[in-house]
Amino acid sequence: EFQITGTPHIGVVRPMPDLDANAYEGENEDFFFIGEQIFYPDFLAQRSDEWGDGNVHACEYNCGEGEKFWTNWETGHSEEW
């Protein structure tokens, strides 16, 4: 059981088992995949056959603004939901 407070961003990302997540941790131990395009080549390098042919590699929902974001590790995309 857990409680969500504030206005979190909730999302999913494709499996990247060899990624050192600590290397991408931001201030205050924040960790996010979308928006830091400088990291996209590193994330795309983790691609495996398990990903299939899809081009959405991470997506998130901003609970405060009602926007959804997704990326193909080349560019980011946002839409109001």
Side-chain angles (χ1 to χ4, degrees):
E1 191 172 311
F2 59 91
Q3 181 177 8
I4 297 173
T5 61
T7 54
H9 292 234
I10 300 172
V12 295
V13 64
R14 289 190 184 265
M16 297 186 282
D18 295 328
L19 184 73
D20 177 11
N22 292 328
Y24 303 95
E25 188 176 294
E27 293 181 25
N28 303 318
E29 299 182 359
D30 292 339
F31 188 84
F32 47 88
F33 291 96
I34 299 177
E36 293 293 326
Q37 292 185 3
I38 192 169
F39 299 142
Y40 287 3
D42 294 350
F43 297 156
L44 191 57
Q46 297 293 318
R47 185 179 192 117
S48 71
D49 291 338
E50 293 177 353
W51 288 18
D53 295 329
N55 70 342
V56 175
H57 304 315
C59 61
E60 70 179 21
Y61 177 71
N62 177 334
C63 295
E65 302 293 325
E67 289 184 304
K68 59 184 174 182
F69 302 91
W70 63 275
T71 182
N72 58 8
W73 296 147
E74 292 177 13
T75 59
H77 305 276
S78 67
E79 302 172 19
E80 291 205 17
W81 208 1

